[in-house]
Amino acid sequence: MRDCYFFTEKMCVGHGSPIIKDIEIMLPKGEILTLIGANGAGKSTVLKSIAGQLRLLGGTIYLEKETLSEMDRKALARKMSVVFTERLKTELMTCEDVVATGRYPYTGRFGRLSEEDRQIVREAMDLIRVTEIRDTDFRKISDGQRQRVMLARAICQEPEILILDEPISYLDIRHKLEFLSVLQEMREKKQLTVLMSMHELELAKIISDKILCLKGEYVLRYGTPEEIFESDFIEQLFDITEERFASNEKFLTYIRKVGRYG
Amino acid sequence: MPKDKRNIRYRSALFLLTVGSILFFFGNVIFGSISISIWDVIGIFTGQEADIAYRRIIVDIRLPRATAAFLLGGALALSGYLLQTFFHNPIAGPFVLGISSGSKLAVSLVMVFLLGKSVSISSSGLIVAAFVGALSSMGFVLLMSRQVRSMSLLVVGGVMIGYICTAVTDFVITFAEDADIVNLHNWSRGSFSGMSWEYVAMMAAVVAVTVWIVFFLSKPISAYQLGESYAENIGVDVCRLRILLILLSSLLSACVVAYAGPISFVGIAVPHLVKLLLGTSEPIWMIPSCFLGGSMFCLICDLIARTVFAPTELSISTVTAVFGAPVVLWVLVRQKNERQL
């Protein structure tokens, strides 16, 4: 277990008072973990605690055998990047400027970008396909575009581990697939490790190596997609009862499709 | 706009502000209630024989006054910029948040107390008193900012703190008995008059060091502007930066109050005007530009205050309010429009 790239030991998270206790995650380098659960189940709280936004209420997080909370902040910034659901505050910044903020841990005292930094920014924007809005004001683009710019920003930070809170929630289906395939590619080429939360169950099943299900005070289940998407577990996780939709044949069919087989 | 073109814009804006402040600096030296010809002024600067009275007016009155307006105007604008950054609030400034008034109260208490014992206060003592006053007001504002999330309420609260401090200051001044109180009264309304070279040297030292530190913080400030959580993620010690922002902005505004009294609207308005000129919020450009913009703004306002109704002198805040308040209104209106975007 201690050989794992990323793992947590009895991690306990919450805003002041504990919401979820004894979270034990083990993630080898280059794997993708997805958190699923109902609204308010604590997915963001877990991700924010891992990213160091929230103080841990108990337990320890290890990254490459080092305790995360004791790691040097600047060294960590070169290893871990994040995309939260919370909006970035910008003023008079173009999308390219926003993406370039990901280079912060690599620039000098005054934060001037080198030619190499610029190159990396351009590549990240190409990869996520936001190059055409590079000179547009970040406040004037749509939610979906904004989400993609934020993803490009996280990628140009050149992380080893990426923390994403509902990264594709605003994207159309094409961009959802495109982004997930970028993740998959980066995981194969660069051994990128990903921890994210998602509501798109079908996609979570395809992309993830591990899935963590949150419900109530403890982790409800942790395992491979095959283990999670079996029998009626999803219905249990989201409290979907067939009786509630009994009168609607179309809904019933859908529930059976998603719930049972992802 | 592509990056290269933008860089040209930033450079020319900075150049414009530099030239503008130099121009108005000399404008302030040349023009005044007593008219001295430009040739006489040049003569005095180049060390030629000149009328003793003229020489005194230029060297001992106008030059230190213009230098003070340059330094303190810049300090005020920068202090406002730091506060706006700290609170993520475009209408924050040392005056509206009651920080200037806190300084004013502390300084007048110290002055009245010491004048009563006929001890004169040193110029560094003035700054210390003003700094303590600024920090205590800041403490109240911070306490309040934990309770109220709305930025307009925060500003209203700051204005109230300002009124309380001003009321107590007026009370102290009214009941103090000394001829020097007249000076104190002038000072408490805000004015660049009566600057000595001793004062100017002290404020130059404080302002220079503070601005230097602020400039070296431009990188973490740029990250902080994105919001605390993202700043944290890219390696900024947010807690330490917040403390530094508070201390530096209080020190800058304390320095202004210690020597020139509270001056309204410069700290709040100038950063917006400068941002409009630059077209960016990048701190590495904003910090020097804000400083120069504040300098130029105060030099212009002081020139107006001294010359328009000469020999009667307007208080500096009267003039800065005329130009600054409309800017604040404009910011408020624009803010609302952008939220609908």
Side-chain angles (χ1 to χ4, degrees):
Chain A
M1 157 169 165
R2 285 176 187 270
D3 298 331
C4 249
Y5 173 70
F6 176 93
F7 72 96
T8 63
E9 216 173 54
K10 292 200 178 307
M11 181 169 76
C12 176
V13 302
H15 300 265
S17 56
I19 299 178
I20 305 166
K21 295 171 195 158
D22 294 341
I23 306 168
E24 309 238 325
I25 301 173
M26 269 172 279
L27 202 60
K29 202 169 166 70
E31 288 205 355
I32 296 178
L33 169 78
T34 307
L35 274 62
I36 61 172
N39 295 135
K43 299 185 293 296
S44 299
T45 312
V46 171
L47 291 177
K48 279 192 173 159
S49 305
I50 292 172
Q53 300 295 308
L54 280 174
R55 214 164 43 83
L56 281 188
L57 300 177
T60 329
I61 305 171
Y62 297 92
L63 187 69
E64 284 182 311
K65 293 171 195 150
E66 273 185 85
T67 309
L68 201 65
S69 53
E70 285 165 12
M71 278 174 75
D72 174 58
R73 189 186 283 282
K74 285 193 181 122
L76 184 60
R78 293 182 178 208
K79 286 190 176 165
M80 181 189 277
S81 69
V82 300
V83 176
F84 296 121
T85 47
E86 151 191 352
R87 280 204 178 170
L88 196 71
K89 294 169 191 156
T90 65
E91 208 180 353
L92 299 168
M93 282 175 92
T94 64
C95 293
E96 190 178 16
D97 291 339
V98 172
V99 174
T101 60
R103 297 305 297 164
Y104 185 100
Y106 302 91
T107 52
R109 181 175 283 286
F110 289 106
R112 309 305 280 172
L113 298 171
S114 68
E115 199 36 58
E116 192 198 341
D117 289 321
R118 281 179 213 283
Q119 185 59 34
I120 293 168
V121 170
R122 275 195 291 269
E123 279 166 17
M125 293 187 85
D126 276 339
L127 197 64
I128 310 291
R129 296 181 201 281
V130 283
T131 309
E132 55 185 66
I133 49 168
R134 55 188 290 183
D135 292 325
T136 316
D137 191 313
F138 185 70
R139 290 170 300 186
K140 292 184 178 156
I141 60 180
S142 75
D143 283 328
Q145 288 174 317
R146 210 171 275 152
Q147 206 162 29
R148 274 153 58 211
V149 170
M150 292 304 290
L151 293 169
R153 175 192 168 279
I155 282 171
C156 93
Q157 205 174 326
E158 297 188 304
E160 291 175 7
I161 181 166
L162 199 52
I163 313 268
L164 308 168
D165 195 1
E166 295 187 23
I168 55 174
S169 53
Y170 287 109
L171 302 188
D172 61 50
I173 183 68
R174 182 193 125 200
H175 285 115
K176 276 187 211 279
L177 294 172
E178 270 182 7
F179 175 67
L180 293 180
S181 74
V182 166
L183 277 191
Q184 209 154 33
E185 203 177 298
M186 289 186 67
R187 154 200 171 191
E188 268 143 36
K189 280 190 191 153
K190 300 182 180 168
Q191 287 250 296
L192 180 73
T193 309
V194 182
L195 270 93
M196 62 179 163
S197 65
M198 233 201 258
H199 281 298
E200 295 81 355
L201 298 179
E202 304 90 330
L203 294 174
K205 188 183 171 188
I206 305 172
I207 183 94
S208 317
D209 297 296
K210 298 273 167 52
I211 290 185
L212 186 80
C213 305
L214 294 177
K215 189 184 185 185
E217 258 185 80
Y218 296 91
V219 173
L220 191 61
R221 198 180 275 197
Y222 177 54
T224 61
E226 292 73 34
E227 289 165 347
I228 303 295
F229 290 94
E230 54 137 33
S231 72
D232 59 351
F233 181 69
I234 292 296
E235 286 168 36
Q236 231 183 66
L237 179 65
F238 288 95
D239 288 322
I240 310 170
T241 49
E242 287 192 14
E243 295 88 73
R244 192 181 295 176
F245 302 99
S247 58
N248 193 324
E249 196 54 43
K250 282 178 188 165
F251 274 50
L252 272 182
T253 322
Y254 180 77
I255 291 165
R256 284 182 192 131
K257 186 171 151 257
V258 174
R260 303 264 158 86
Y261 313 105
Chain B
M1 233 194 291
K3 201 86 193 170
D4 303 341
K5 268 196 183 164
R6 281 196 279 160
N7 269 327
I8 294 175
R9 176 170 175 183
Y10 305 156
R11 292 221 174 87
S12 15
L14 202 57
F15 178 73
L16 200 76
L17 290 170
T18 314
V19 172
S21 12
I22 294 173
L23 220 62
F24 281 102
F25 180 85
F26 285 108
N28 269 282
V29 176
I30 293 164
F31 300 108
S33 52
I34 291 166
S35 62
I36 302 174
S37 80
I38 294 184
W39 301 115
D40 282 337
V41 177
I42 293 171
I44 288 165
F45 277 129
T46 50
Q48 284 164 20
E49 283 280 309
D51 190 308
I52 282 286
Y54 284 0
R55 178 181 290 276
R56 285 215 52 193
I57 288 173
I58 298 291
V59 176
D60 291 337
I61 297 177
R62 287 190 195 166
L63 257 183
R65 180 167 182 161
T67 315
F70 176 85
L71 290 169
L72 300 182
L76 260 183
L78 201 55
S79 166
Y81 174 70
L82 294 180
L83 289 170
Q84 286 167 12
T85 306
F86 180 88
F87 287 107
H88 295 293
N89 181 342
I91 41 175
F95 193 81
V96 281
L97 290 179
I99 294 160
S100 301
S101 312
S103 293
K104 181 170 92 165
L105 175 58
V107 172
S108 47
L109 281 176
V110 170
M111 271 179 153
V112 167
F113 180 73
L114 289 182
L115 286 174
K117 298 191 164 187
S118 40
V119 185
S120 70
I121 182 168
S122 72
S123 82
S124 52
L126 277 179
I127 293 194
V128 172
F131 187 54
V132 170
L135 281 183
S136 6
S137 274
M138 194 66 170
F140 276 111
V141 175
L142 286 178
L143 276 180
M144 211 165 51
S145 74
R146 297 204 161 184
Q147 303 297 318
V148 294
R149 284 269 153 246
S150 144
M151 62 179 199
S152 34
L153 276 181
L154 185 69
V155 171
V156 173
V159 171
M160 292 306 133
I161 292 178
Y163 272 119
I164 296 170
C165 292
T166 306
V168 179
T169 311
D170 285 347
F171 185 80
V172 170
I173 291 177
T174 311
F175 288 96
E177 305 160 22
D178 201 286
D180 281 327
I181 292 307
V182 181
N183 285 336
L184 202 57
H185 185 68
N186 265 340
W187 163 85
S188 77
R189 287 168 58 232
S191 165
F192 287 118
S193 67
M195 290 293 167
S196 69
W197 279 114
E198 183 215 346
Y199 281 2
V200 171
M202 186 69 200
M203 74 178 80
V206 175
V207 171
V209 171
T210 320
V211 172
W212 187 248
I213 298 174
V214 172
F215 189 68
F216 271 85
L217 286 177
S218 60
K219 186 181 169 188
I221 288 175
S222 74
Y224 182 82
Q225 285 175 335
L226 304 172
E228 270 111 272
S229 37
Y230 288 103
E232 194 96 52
N233 172 248
I234 43 183
V236 179
D237 190 339
V238 170
C239 188
R240 200 187 67 135
L241 181 66
R242 286 174 67 102
I243 294 172
L244 276 174
L245 286 178
I246 292 290
L247 290 178
L248 293 169
S249 60
S250 301
L251 187 57
L252 285 171
S253 88
C255 194
V256 177
V257 176
Y259 296 114
I263 298 174
S264 59
F265 290 106
V266 180
I268 205 177
V270 169
H272 291 289
L273 294 173
V274 168
K275 210 176 280 167
L276 198 68
L277 183 71
L278 281 174
T280 180
S281 58
E282 266 182 75
I284 197 152
W285 293 104
M286 275 301 281
I287 290 168
S289 306
C290 264
F291 187 86
L292 289 171
S295 301
M296 193 168 131
F297 190 83
C298 278
L299 285 166
I300 296 174
C301 289
D302 197 37
L303 189 61
I304 293 172
R306 289 188 305 124
T307 52
V308 171
F309 295 105
T312 309
E313 203 174 282
L314 296 171
S315 99
I316 184 78
S317 281
T318 313
V319 186
T320 53
V322 168
F323 293 111
V327 175
V328 178
L329 288 176
W330 164 74
V331 169
L332 286 174
V333 172
R334 203 187 51 153
Q335 197 72 34
K336 204 171 173 219
N337 289 339
E338 258 169 27
R339 234 176 278 144
Q340 290 160 349
L341 209 83

